[in-house]
Amino acid sequence: MTVRTDWTRPEIAALFDLRFDDLMFGAQSVHRAHHAAGEVQLCTLLSIKTGGCPEDCGYCSQSASADTGLKAEKLMDVDAVLASAAEAKAAGSQRFCMGAAWREPKDRDMGAIVEMVSGVKRMGLETCMTLGMLSSEQAQRLADAGLDYYNHNIDTSPENYRNVITTRTFQERVDTLAEVRAAGINVCCGGIVGMGETRADRVGFIHALATLPQHPESVPVNALVPVKGTVLGNMLANTPLAKIDDVEFVRTVAVARVTMPMSMVRLSAGRESMSEATQALCFMAGANSIFTGDKLLTTGNAGGGADASLFAKLGLKPMEAEEPLRVAAA
């Protein structure tokens, strides 16, 4: 099956318009052609630097412009991060993701960041970081430390982007992805649905990812968790009908799978409020990665016990760890 990077918006819109069972059948067929059926990667996400971010992302409780009561904290100590990584590995996680609420990392913090990456890597875990925008030098330092994945989401369609974020541009997001690629680090890039966007925006979001020169190796699909005090949280509290319905969310996951067949599609934020049936449909649609544990960066998550129970019901099993492929530096 050919991996395409020349998808058109009409083609992607046609996938969204398919009868639901046909879309699910197509997505599951693509999934089984490229991935082991019934296996799901378990990942853990830790906020290594919480709050005080100067960006104005309308969904984010960590933005300094949000009125959520979240206090800005300093970067965690390296030993504390490594202790959390060890706990995650003991609980069955394969990938350990570390996120810092920064516009971009300062050079003075890179030494500690590099220690975190190399320390987690020595434990046999896949490593992922999300630190905001990167310079080419910073990306190379992360690559030299052994970073496997760098997360930098595009969030939404290019057309809808300014409705969500005004402090940096869509192109700046894409430029950071290029720096990550040039350093030889795998890309983790997805976005958020349920922010009051239209289906055309969801088409544009998938199109932007599926037409990158190389598909992201990991594609997180988040459902908005509306947090009181954020722009979108306050807006959707007054317009509940703007929230995406479960079937449309599953469609988005399925279209991501069809258009990016080799990528890991991660069912990410918002899962704690989904029914088991909705999560099951997402796995059928081709999602094969989740965040496990009780907390994501600042919001709640389903928890390991709930995940184990759901996996038992569905006959799913955690994916076994293996050395991730490294992309060639550009």
Side-chain angles (χ1 to χ4, degrees):
M1 189 174 296
T2 303
V3 177
R4 296 176 51 192
T5 58
D6 62 348
W7 289 92
T8 67
R9 289 199 182 199
E11 286 177 317
I12 294 172
L15 290 174
F16 270 98
D17 288 339
L18 283 172
R19 199 175 68 191
F20 187 72
D21 59 339
D22 286 339
L23 176 58
M24 293 292 282
F25 178 78
Q28 184 60 206
S29 298
V30 170
H31 181 76
R32 288 176 180 242
H34 297 281
H35 303 273
E39 291 189 2
V40 178
Q41 182 190 55
L42 302 183
C43 310
T44 296
L45 176 60
L46 175 68
S47 178
I48 60 173
K49 192 279 172 189
T50 302
C53 182
E55 303 283 14
D56 68 353
C57 305
Y59 52 80
C60 186
S61 63
Q62 300 197 70
S63 170
S65 60
D67 184 20
T68 61
L70 189 70
K71 295 181 179 179
E73 299 177 359
K74 295 180 179 180
L75 182 66
M76 288 179 64
D77 291 334
V78 174
D79 288 345
V81 172
L82 298 184
S84 293
E87 291 177 4
K89 182 177 182 180
S93 282
Q94 179 186 353
R95 184 183 298 180
F96 191 68
C97 307
M98 296 158 275
W102 285 326
R103 177 178 171 83
E104 67 275 310
K106 293 181 172 62
D107 287 338
R108 66 170 183 259
D109 294 312
M110 288 302 297
I113 292 295
V114 164
E115 284 188 58
M116 293 174 191
V117 172
S118 59
V120 174
K121 185 77 173 176
R122 285 194 297 271
M123 295 179 189
L125 287 163
E126 289 184 3
T127 54
C128 182
M129 282 242 170
T130 178
L131 311 170
M133 296 184 292
L134 293 177
S135 68
S136 58
E137 293 80 7
Q138 289 170 335
Q140 191 57 58
R141 287 191 68 182
L142 292 172
D144 292 343
L147 185 67
D148 296 307
Y149 293 84
Y150 192 80
N151 168 258
H152 199 62
N153 292 336
I154 59 169
D155 289 334
T156 186
S157 69
E159 295 80 7
N160 190 47
Y161 187 85
R162 296 294 290 180
N163 296 325
V164 179
I165 303 157
T166 67
T167 49
R168 61 178 160 183
T169 66
F170 189 90
Q171 186 58 48
E172 284 177 310
R173 300 266 184 172
V174 175
D175 291 345
T176 290
L177 297 179
E179 296 290 3
V180 170
R181 282 280 183 223
I185 302 170
N186 293 300
V187 167
C188 175
C189 183
I192 307 170
V193 295
M195 297 190 292
E197 77 282 348
T198 64
R199 176 178 279 188
D201 288 318
R202 290 187 281 278
V203 170
F205 159 60
I206 297 293
H207 178 261
L209 294 172
T211 56
L212 288 170
Q214 184 175 344
H215 293 163
E217 284 75 17
S218 181
V219 179
V221 181
N222 299 272
L224 177 70
V225 179
V227 178
K228 184 179 179 180
T230 63
V231 172
L232 289 173
N234 292 342
M235 180 186 76
L236 293 183
N238 297 319
T239 55
L241 293 180
K243 184 178 180 181
I244 189 172
D245 67 54
D246 289 348
V247 172
E248 185 71 6
F249 183 86
V250 175
R251 283 185 181 274
T252 305
V253 171
V255 174
R257 168 51 68 218
V258 172
T259 56
M260 294 172 281
M262 299 295 292
S263 303
M264 301 293 294
V265 177
R266 181 179 301 125
L267 182 57
S268 298
R271 193 166 62 87
E272 78 290 341
S273 62
M274 295 179 188
S275 68
E276 289 187 337
T278 297
Q279 293 182 65
L281 285 172
C282 288
F283 294 130
M284 290 180 64
N288 60 341
S289 179
I290 62 170
F291 282 124
T292 191
D294 299 321
K295 189 177 182 181
L296 297 182
L297 290 173
T298 62
T299 58
N301 195 38
D307 292 337
S309 175
L310 179 60
F311 277 32
K313 288 181 181 181
L314 301 180
L316 300 175
K317 65 177 183 179
M319 188 178 296
E320 294 184 5
E322 59 183 37
E323 184 69 18
L325 295 174
R326 298 304 299 270
V327 296

